[in-house]
């Protein structure tokens, strides 16, 4: 038993040694085949001129931005070193902020990159602010948030097959908030039964975390639900982030068209007013057209004691009173007739 057991052990050792040597020979052969194929591939690549394409994000533009959405265009420069065109099969993109997805998408059949050429592929992305604010409550209007754009370009290259070129770019994007507008006071410059010139002193408050460069203002104003006209002002001024700016806007109107509202102002009772319009501003993120609205405001005529022109203001008030009484009288007389 002992001898046969020892023989069995020897035979087993011999078999395992033979198998090991056979495996090593087989593994070495496979490695040699792999190396040979790799060398052949490199020779073909060198001879034919095939290579892996490269890509880079060269720019990010915001051609349009308002209170509702931001249109973003990502410029991706793709270079093809190969002697044949290569197709862009798919483009996957993801826009995130602090690890949270803002928007993602897929663009299929994105085009072809010419042989031995470089082309800029424009990737359009749209951020809908309502979707962002409804998903993430901590993202407030007027704030600036960081973003990261991730792009995967999937190309089909001879010899190499399908390749994925990953790209990334970071930056900042605003969540715009419309400015607040108030009518501080009205200063009357010229009076006429048919036409009166007044200066509206407007206060604009910027509730954004970035500066606004005011280039243009257009609006219409109502006193006691009667439109006294509008204005289109070309006045450049800067409203600092979370700051306030004052502008003077000239406006002409016909007093006889709203009679009693002016009378209430003169008596110090005040009258309701509304403003609707738009401001065109420059921002660090591009030009924007933002709406301005004010509903249910109240204004009245007051003496401007700060200017030290009490006598002049008294004369203005008397003149306005007489003018208003005249308007009311004419209106009543016309009605009687």
């Amino acid at each position: 038993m002992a001898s046969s057991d020892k023989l069995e052990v020897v035979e087993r050792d011999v078999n395992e040694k033979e198998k090991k040597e056979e495996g090593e020979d087989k593994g070495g052969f496979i490695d040699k085949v792999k190396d040979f194929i790799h060398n052949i591939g490199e020779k073909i690549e060198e001879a034919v001129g095939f290579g892996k394409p490269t890509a880079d994000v060269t720019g990010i533009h915001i051609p349009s931005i308002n209170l509702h959405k931001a249109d973003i265009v990502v410029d991706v420069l793709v270079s093809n070193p190969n002697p044949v065109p290569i197709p862009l099969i798919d483009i996957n993109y993801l826009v995130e902020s602090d690890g949270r997805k803002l928007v993602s998408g897929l663009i299929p059949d994105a085009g072809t990159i010419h042989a031995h050429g470089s082309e800029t592929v424009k990737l359009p992305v749209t951020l809908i602010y309502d979707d962002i604010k409804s998903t993430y409550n901590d993202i407030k209007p007027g704030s600036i948030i960081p973003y990261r754009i991730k792009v995967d370009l999937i190309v089909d290259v001879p010899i190499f097959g399908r390749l994925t070129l990953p790209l990334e770019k970071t930056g900042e994007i605003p969540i715009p908030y419309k400015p607040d507008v108030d009518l501080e006071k009205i200063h009357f410059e010229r009076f006429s039964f048919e036409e009166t010139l007044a200066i509206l002193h407007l206060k604009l408050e910027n509730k954004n975390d970035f500066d606004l460069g005011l280039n243009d203002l257009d609006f219409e104003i109502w006193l006691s639900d009667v439109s006294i006209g509008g204005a289109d002002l070309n006045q450049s001024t800067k409203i600092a982030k979370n700051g306030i700016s004052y502008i003077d806007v000239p406006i002409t109107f016909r007093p006889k068209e709203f009679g009693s509202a002016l009378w209430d102002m003169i008596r110090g009772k005040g009258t309701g007013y509304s403003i609707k319009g738009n401001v065109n501003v420059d921002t660090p993120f591009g030009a924007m057209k933002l709406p301005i609205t004010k509903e249910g405001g109240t204004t009245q005529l007051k003496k401007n004691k700060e200017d030290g022109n009490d006598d002049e203001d008294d004369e203005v008030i008397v003149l306005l009173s007489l003018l208003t009484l005249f308007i009311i009288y004419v209106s009543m007389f016309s009605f009687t007739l």
Side-chain angles (χ1 to χ4, degrees):
M1 290 291 291
S3 60
S4 62
D5 289 342
K6 184 179 292 186
L7 179 61
E8 184 179 355
V9 171
V10 171
E11 290 177 351
R12 185 181 299 116
D13 290 341
V14 171
N15 291 336
E16 289 178 355
K17 183 177 180 181
E18 291 176 352
K19 290 179 180 179
K20 183 177 180 180
E21 292 176 352
E22 182 181 352
E24 289 177 351
D25 292 341
K26 187 176 181 180
F29 175 74
I30 293 176
D31 290 338
K32 291 179 180 179
V33 170
K34 288 181 178 179
D35 292 340
F36 175 77
I37 294 175
H38 178 73
N39 292 335
I40 291 295
E42 289 183 344
K43 295 296 184 182
I44 294 176
E45 179 182 339
E46 292 175 1
V48 180
F50 283 102
K52 295 181 180 179
T54 60
D56 185 31
V57 177
T58 56
I60 295 180
H61 313 281
I62 307 178
S64 174
I65 185 170
N66 53 44
L67 293 181
H68 308 291
K69 64 184 180 71
D71 294 325
I72 302 174
V73 176
V74 183
D75 291 339
V76 179
L77 180 64
V78 184
S79 298
N80 176 20
N82 300 291
V84 295
I86 59 172
L88 278 173
I89 300 174
D90 291 320
I91 299 179
N92 291 302
Y93 65 87
L94 167 68
V95 182
E96 61 180 18
S97 178
D98 293 330
R100 300 176 298 184
K101 184 180 78 170
L102 301 181
V103 65
S104 63
L106 168 68
I107 300 177
D109 301 327
T112 301
I113 309 301
H114 297 298
H116 295 303
S118 297
E119 294 187 29
T120 297
V121 179
K122 294 187 177 296
L123 174 62
V125 179
T126 298
L127 296 180
I128 307 297
Y129 289 130
D130 284 345
D131 294 343
I132 296 173
K133 290 181 287 188
S134 63
T135 305
Y136 307 111
N137 294 328
D138 60 318
I139 297 180
K140 303 299 182 183
S143 61
I144 300 175
I145 61 173
Y147 70 83
R148 181 187 302 273
I149 294 182
K150 297 181 178 180
V151 180
D152 286 336
L153 297 178
I154 302 176
V155 297
D156 192 358
V157 184
I159 303 297
F160 298 97
R162 290 196 175 190
L163 298 177
T164 299
L165 308 178
L167 306 170
E168 282 192 13
K169 193 75 171 182
T170 60
E172 291 182 328
I173 192 82
I175 310 294
Y177 192 73
K178 66 179 183 180
D180 277 354
V181 59
D182 281 308
L183 177 58
E184 290 282 284
K185 59 182 177 179
I186 302 177
H187 179 69
F188 293 92
E189 293 282 335
R190 186 180 69 249
F191 301 94
S192 167
F193 181 71
E194 291 296 330
E195 185 177 79
T196 292
L197 171 63
I199 303 298
L200 307 181
H201 300 275
L202 298 180
K203 181 180 78 171
L204 292 173
E205 183 177 1
N206 178 15
K207 294 190 174 183
N208 294 283
D209 290 337
F210 50 90
D211 296 341
L212 298 179
L214 178 62
N215 292 324
D216 180 71
L217 166 68
D218 66 90
F219 70 96
E220 186 172 3
I221 184 168
W222 289 261
L223 291 179
S224 287
D225 298 326
V226 177
S227 174
I228 65 171
D232 188 351
L233 175 69
N234 295 319
Q235 178 176 338
S236 297
T237 186
K238 178 181 177 181
I239 312 177
K241 62 179 182 180
N242 300 306
I244 296 175
S245 181
Y246 296 88
I247 60 174
D248 294 336
V249 181
I251 190 171
T252 58
F253 59 92
R254 297 162 62 90
K256 66 179 183 180
E257 293 180 353
F258 66 97
S260 61
L262 182 59
W263 177 242
D264 288 339
M265 292 174 61
I266 293 173
R267 294 193 307 167
K269 292 178 59 177
T271 185
Y273 73 89
S274 300
I275 298 176
K276 292 183 180 180
N278 299 280
V279 290
N280 292 315
V281 296
D282 289 329
T283 76
F285 309 96
M288 299 186 195
K289 186 174 184 177
L290 302 176
I292 53 173
T293 58
K294 179 68 176 183
E295 302 284 349
T298 302
T299 189
Q300 60 187 21
L301 179 65
K302 293 182 178 180
K303 293 182 181 181
N304 192 357
K305 295 183 178 180
E306 296 176 358
D307 297 337
N309 295 328
D310 292 347
D311 294 339
E312 181 181 348
D313 287 340
D314 287 340
E315 292 176 2
V316 168
I317 291 176
V318 172
L319 180 59
L320 278 175
S321 300
L322 293 174
L323 177 61
T324 304
L325 288 173
F326 178 71
I327 293 171
I328 294 174
Y329 173 79
V330 170
S331 299
M332 291 177 61
F333 183 76
S334 299
F335 180 78
T336 302
L337 294 178

